[in-house]
Amino acid sequence: VKLSELAERIDCRLDGDGEIEIHRVAGIQDAGEGDVTFLANPKYEKTIHATRASAVILRDAAPAAPCAMLRAKDPYLAFARAVALFAPAWKPSPGVHALAAVASDAVLGRDVSIGAFVAIGEGTVIGDNTVIFPNVTIGPGARVGRDCVIHSNVAIRERVTIGDRVILQNGVVIGGDGYGFVRRGDGTHEKIPQVATVVIEDDVELGANTTVDRPAVGETRIKSGTKLDNLVMIGHGVTIGRNVLMAAQVGIAGSTHIDDDVVFGGQVGVGGHLTIGRGAIAVGQSGVTNSLDPGARVAGYPAIDNHEWRKSSALFRRLPELKRRIEALEAQIASLSSSRADKPERSSE
Amino acid sequence: VKLSELAERIDCRLDGDGEIEIHRVAGIQDAGEGDVTFLANPKYEKTIHATRASAVILRDAAPAAPCAMLRAKDPYLAFARAVALFAPAWKPSPGVHALAAVASDAVLGRDVSIGAFVAIGEGTVIGDNTVIFPNVTIGPGARVGRDCVIHSNVAIRERVTIGDRVILQNGVVIGGDGYGFVRRGDGTHEKIPQVATVVIEDDVELGANTTVDRPAVGETRIKSGTKLDNLVMIGHGVTIGRNVLMAAQVGIAGSTHIDDDVVFGGQVGVGGHLTIGRGAIAVGQSGVTNSLDPGARVAGYPAIDNHEWRKSSALFRRLPELKRRIEALEAQIASLSSSRADKPERSSE
Amino acid sequence: VKLSELAERIDCRLDGDGEIEIHRVAGIQDAGEGDVTFLANPKYEKTIHATRASAVILRDAAPAAPCAMLRAKDPYLAFARAVALFAPAWKPSPGVHALAAVASDAVLGRDVSIGAFVAIGEGTVIGDNTVIFPNVTIGPGARVGRDCVIHSNVAIRERVTIGDRVILQNGVVIGGDGYGFVRRGDGTHEKIPQVATVVIEDDVELGANTTVDRPAVGETRIKSGTKLDNLVMIGHGVTIGRNVLMAAQVGIAGSTHIDDDVVFGGQVGVGGHLTIGRGAIAVGQSGVTNSLDPGARVAGYPAIDNHEWRKSSALFRRLPELKRRIEALEAQIASLSSSRADKPERSSE
């Protein structure tokens, strides 16, 4: 594609030769002739002089590059769109593979693509244009919306509801039984049947091998626009708001309510029956043991205010020094006291 | 079902109109007419006045509710049984799906249900009434007991033994190779063949995408009644006792022995070659680096006594204050000393 | 096999009766007549007097055992080879199962074994002698090398490249979309298409349910000889060097570069865009938030020098004591000061 056309399609201001042919989007270190690269983070802007790319996407205020420039208000968004433009347009063709097992009363929308070894249970409904890759198991009684992409080896259990434009990476499990047991008098545990359901709303994406459990009563719900990374665990009865982001290996215990726009770093753990306020942020590996106010920023275990945690954390490292200072004080006090101890009133100690 | 009948079937004392028709079990906030709800935790009992449920399951000593009451010694257990009573009785019918691949010498018990795209290897034995959902791979040479439920996309590897009434949620892997390598002189690693086996005893339940590894020699064993949540990792050669509970994302390194009735919160990590005594408890995210005595309660990383950890943890937060107090003491001492330094005997310092 | 022959085949010096028949390798506690056991760790050498094994593999300098001895320079390596010698030689026979779905233009090498319900996409290439177990999905456009073992329920996504002698345990996902989104003005997130690829070099082994993501541009790469345990998460655009070891549940955020010979304990988390120097070690549960120098040994969260962390960690536990000592000092100072406060110059305070 010509650079002038690319500029138009990703909504950038062109500064340079619009006739250059661009073949690929590449990272700044890998980019060469015919490549467009990008600079979203101002702190890397000084590296741009060394690029061999034919063009670079960068913010309006960035210094000039030694190649053609595509100026954007949000260069990362422009980059995303450039990647989409050059992405291989590969998508399996519509139709049901001869080696799929689709229940006779399942309802398939228009232009659905069902891969080999996909099992679709009784009464399941699949929306228009949805693509289901091989070795996926769905239903019975599940509903999957339109324009979804269900990658291979996903399990969507009975009666689960999935919205439109949902993307499930490989190995995702939705609707596995929640971890609910009652201790009997003899120390064994009775299973509480986990028979309620899970609702995944529109535009959600779940990463590879992430699991979302179903509860005994009520529902587990992930609201629209939320994106979870790989190997995340969502416990039974949890509600997750809109546009929430969770990095890999986060775990949310049962019945916790997470409001819109919350952001969790990787490996964060959140206890059960908590409320996480809108826009709260927990940095990676935090252990959230109490409910969080909207806008809270926390770190550590147990998670406390991020700013406070950073100060304590810096001092944790200096504990040996603090101990030495206490010992020095004790020695000085002892010395001061002993000189006073010559006086009769302290000699009894 | 009539409330009087429900009371009888879940072993509760009825206080109210036994003729009410109950259609569903629901959480206290969602419950409406025709629903039975429950109150297991005394601290929520004050919320009961606002319920719109037709009936509530609650403990003997709980204050009266504004609806019919089902009094139980253990209301959570009564709730579990009520859920079971109303659960959809859905279970796939017995038989082997036409698109399953069962080895000719595999032995299937009575009324076994084998879904589509299930691969069962040579010499594998499946017990009576066991249900195997689609896309499961078992064997060769594996043994699965009776009345088990194996959800879709599970992998049970060669020669693994599974007891009776075991429930494996979707994506579980049993018998993957343990992580065993020997460093060679040139820095590469030689694989120690992991050819011994895994035994899962009766009444065990494993959560979605949980993995249990096989060792080189000996066995990995999970004893009866133990319940593990999702994304748990059990290393090779580990032994887990009876009625153990582990929340999601716990990891147990190789050759560790865990005794009966142990309880681990989510994301706990336990080192290799340790012994965890009976009934020990580790709270979420603990890192257990030493063996634990029976009944121990630990927290933190490295995990220490829970009570002690709570005290230290509270002080971690106050480290900036403690530092200021040390600084204040230093200033005071300096001031005291300097006034003494006027005296000849300290002027040499 | 005769002990003399075993000694020769695993390169040990025989001290004892070479005519003994050995049938099995067993752990020191389980070993009985006809078994060979091993002692790799010097600290267990004193337990050897109680063994009932017929022979023991042990280091040259170890004290004598009450049975035949196989002396080795590296007894753990000799043990590994003994296990391999006795391992069941089970391997599925070559051929493509009648219920596999192999694209007509896929290229299969000699003696490839393809199990039931394996889906191989267009243009995918599988090398000689590679074994693919049931319910695996590969491609389209993927390349898998020779002598690989791909266990059941693995997903290898489009255009991924896998080297020779790679072992993928069950449920591994390679080439799932990286977690890449751009926040739009309205708070929703636009997906950056993750269309670049993943390269897994020769002799890599990945544990059960481990996931390796693909990036938008560039590549994710795991270099030869690296071994990752179960449930590990490798983010998009990460590069991992040669002979790296990562225990279970480690998570590496996007674009981080990990050099050769690095070792991570279980549940370690590493931030994005970092560089981890050659041979660096992070103990279990560390949270690595900064780049590490070659040879660094770190612990804790945020991860600091391991030696320093141990000292601080020991003092964390003693924080209540340190606080009491501060309080005692404050009381003593107050007492010293008040006696001085009788003097006029301090009475104003």
Side-chain angles (χ1 to χ4, degrees), chain B residues 99 135 137 140 157 177 179 190-191 193 209 211 213 231 233 250 287 301 308 312 315 325 336 339, chain C residues 81 83 90 117 135 151 153 169-170 205 209 227 230 246 249 267 284-285 313 316-317 323 330 340:
Chain B
L99 292 173
N135 286 303
T137 307
R157 290 268 298 268
D177 289 3
Y179 190 70
E190 178 150 333
K191 181 176 175 72
N209 286 345
T211 69
D213 275 5
L231 294 165
M233 157 60 177
V250 166
Y301 178 75
E308 209 182 319
S312 283
L315 289 173
R325 286 163 70 177
L336 283 172
S339 61
Chain C
R81 289 172 179 173
V83 171
W90 179 79
F117 318 126
N135 285 302
H151 283 284
N153 299 70
Q169 299 295 330
N170 315 68
E205 178 164 345
N209 286 344
K227 318 288 188 187
N230 298 3
M246 297 188 193
Q249 297 173 321
Q267 299 183 335
Q285 290 195 335
S313 209
F316 171 81
R317 198 172 174 160
K323 173 165 162 280
E330 286 168 337
R340 291 174 56 89

Side-chain angles (χ1 to χ4, degrees), chain A residues 135 137 140 157 177 179 190-191 193 209 211 213 231 233 250 287 301 308 312 315 325 336 339, chain B residues 81 83 90 117 135 151 153 169-170 205 209 227 230 246 249 267 284-285 316-317 323 330 333 340:
Chain A
N135 285 303
T137 307
R157 289 270 297 270
D177 290 2
Y179 191 68
E190 179 151 332
K191 182 176 175 71
N209 285 345
T211 68
D213 276 4
L231 293 165
M233 157 59 177
V250 165
Y301 178 74
E308 209 182 320
S312 282
L315 289 173
R325 286 163 71 177
L336 285 171
S339 61
Chain B
R81 289 171 180 172
V83 171
W90 178 79
F117 318 125
N135 286 303
H151 284 284
N153 300 70
Q169 299 295 330
N170 314 67
E205 179 164 345
N209 286 345
K227 318 289 187 186
N230 298 3
M246 297 189 193
Q249 298 172 321
Q267 300 183 334
Q285 292 195 333
F316 170 81
R317 197 171 175 160
K323 175 165 162 279
E330 287 168 337
I333 289 273
R340 291 172 57 87

Side-chain angles (χ1 to χ4, degrees), chain A residues 155 157 160 168 172-178 197-200 206 209-215 220-222 228 232-236 238 240, chain B residues 208 230-231:
Chain A
R157 289 270 297 270
V160 162
L168 304 182
V172 161
V173 177
I174 301 186
D177 290 2
T197 193
V198 178
V199 180
I200 308 291
L206 306 183
N209 285 345
T210 279
T211 68
V212 183
D213 276 4
R214 70 194 319 133
T220 305
R221 180 177 290 261
I222 300 181
L228 309 186
V232 169
M233 157 59 177
I234 305 298
H236 58 322
V238 166
I240 300 181
Chain B
N230 298 3
L231 294 165

Side-chain angles (χ1 to χ4, degrees), chain B residues 253-266:
Chain B
S255 301
T256 281
H257 172 81
I258 294 172
D259 212 336
D260 298 348
D261 305 321
V262 162
V263 178
F264 289 154

Side-chain angles (χ1 to χ4, degrees), chain B residues 99-101 117-119 122 135-137 140 153-155 157-159 171 173 176-179 181-184 186-193 195 209-213 216-218 231-233 249-251 267-269 273 285-287 301-302 304-305 308-309 311-313 315-316 318-319 322 325-326 329 332-333 335-336 339-340, chain C residues 25-27 30 38 44 74 76-77 79-81 83-88 90 97 99 116-117 133-135 151-153 167 169-171 205 208-209 225 227-231 243-249 261 263 267 283-286 299-300 309 313 315-323 325-327 329-330 333-334 336-337 340 346:
Chain B
L99 292 173
F117 318 125
V118 170
E122 294 80 31
N135 286 303
V136 167
T137 307
N153 300 70
V154 163
R157 290 268 298 268
E158 63 275 13
R159 290 174 285 112
V173 177
D177 289 3
Y179 190 70
F181 302 91
V182 189
R183 195 173 182 91
R184 299 191 193 98
D186 64 355
T188 64
H189 299 91
E190 178 150 333
K191 181 176 175 72
I192 305 171
V195 294
N209 286 345
T210 280
T211 69
V212 183
D213 275 5
V217 298
L231 294 165
V232 170
M233 157 60 177
Q249 298 172 321
V250 166
Q267 300 183 334
V268 164
H273 296 273
Q285 292 195 333
S286 304
Y301 178 75
I304 57 175
D305 173 75
E308 209 182 319
W309 177 81
K311 283 195 277 187
S312 283
S313 209
L315 289 173
F316 170 81
R318 288 172 58 192
L319 278 176
L322 294 182
R325 286 163 70 177
I326 291 170
L329 285 165
Q332 286 171 286
I333 289 273
S335 153
L336 283 172
S339 61
R340 291 172 57 87
Chain C
V25 186
D30 301 327
F38 69 107
Y44 295 123
D74 184 342
Y76 203 42
L77 189 55
F79 158 70
R81 289 172 179 173
V83 171
L85 210 72
F86 287 98
W90 179 79
H97 194 282
L99 291 173
F117 318 126
F133 283 92
N135 285 302
H151 283 284
S152 65
N153 299 70
I167 301 175
Q169 299 295 330
N170 315 68
E205 178 164 345
N209 286 344
K227 318 288 188 187
L228 309 185
D229 200 352
N230 298 3
L231 294 165
N243 304 321
V244 167
L245 301 178
M246 297 188 193
Q249 297 173 321
D261 306 320
V263 178
Q267 299 183 335
V283 305
Q285 290 195 335
S286 304
W309 177 81
S313 209
L315 289 173
F316 171 81
R317 198 172 174 160
R318 289 171 59 192
L319 278 176
E321 175 209 321
L322 294 182
K323 173 165 162 280
R325 285 163 70 177
I326 292 171
E327 287 165 348
L329 286 165
E330 286 168 337
I333 289 275
L336 284 171
S337 302
R340 291 174 56 89
R346 291 186 68 82

